[in-house]
């Protein structure tokens, strides 16, 4: 699939069949005036980046919340294979990138739905202050130095 086809596919599923990338390879959807998801095709046209701001106040998040975010991010434990990060405006965002070459439509839909549900879950957790329990990492095996795990 191309990035344009990926966007059109999501648009059709959302009831916005005219959804497309602009001449700069960008697209933004706004749902319910509170959910904003941005799409950006990279310059190589090999990847479609998907990102959405979770909070504008990343600098004001309590230490405990930041620790839980990092624990959730560890090995993508509770992020739906997306990543947390800060954008240029220091907003806490959820990011994902999808390859455009040889990506089946069903897999793209599954990836986007996973991203979207993860976004909604963390947006709610952050806005309510109820981060909840995430994977502690205590169950990880203790490995000798120099050991690598192939995933």
């Amino acid at each position: 699939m191309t990035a344009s086809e990926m966007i059109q596919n999501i648009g059709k599923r959302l009831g916005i069949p005219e959804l497309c990338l602009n001449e700069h390879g960008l697209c933004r959807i706004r749902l319910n005036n509170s959910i904003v998801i941005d799409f950006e095709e990279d310059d190589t046209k090999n990847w479609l980046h998907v990102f959405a701001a979770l909070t504008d106040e990343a600098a004001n998040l309590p230490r405990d919340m930041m620790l839980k975010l990092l624990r959730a991010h560890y090995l993508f434990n509770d992020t739906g294979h997306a990543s947390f990060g800060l954008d240029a405006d220091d907003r806490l965002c959820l990011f994902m990138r999808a390859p455009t070459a040889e990506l089946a439509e069903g897999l793209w839909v599954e990836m986007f739905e996973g991203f979207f549900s993860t976004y909604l879950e963390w947006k709610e957790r952050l806005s309510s202050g109820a981060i909840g329990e995430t994977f502690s990492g205590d169950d990880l095996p203790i490995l000798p130095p120099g050991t690598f795990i192939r995933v």
Side-chain angles (χ1 to χ4, degrees), residues 54-74 79 84-87 90-93 122 125-126 129-132 134-135:
L54 290 164
T55 181
D56 292 336
E57 301 182 16
N60 297 326
L61 289 174
R63 180 181 183 278
D64 187 52
M65 245 183 234
M66 291 301 291
L67 287 173
K68 290 186 180 188
L69 283 165
L70 290 172
R71 285 186 183 119
H73 192 237
Y74 181 73
T79 62
F84 294 118
L86 299 177
D87 68 5
D90 288 338
R91 297 178 304 166
L92 177 65
C93 296
W122 279 99
R125 287 180 182 185
L126 288 163
I131 294 296
T134 57
F135 180 68

Side-chain angles (χ1 to χ4, degrees), residues 101-117:
E102 301 178 20
L103 184 65
E105 181 179 323
L107 181 56
W108 162 239
V109 169
E110 185 179 315
M111 288 174 70
F112 181 75
E113 287 176 349
F115 174 87
F116 189 70
S117 65

Side-chain angles (χ1 to χ4, degrees), residues 14-15 19 39 50 69 78 88 90 94 96 109 115 131 138 147:
L14 293 173
L19 192 67
F39 300 87
V50 184
L69 283 165
D78 198 14
D90 288 338
L94 188 66
M96 173 184 78
V109 169
F115 174 87
I131 294 296
D138 294 337
T147 302

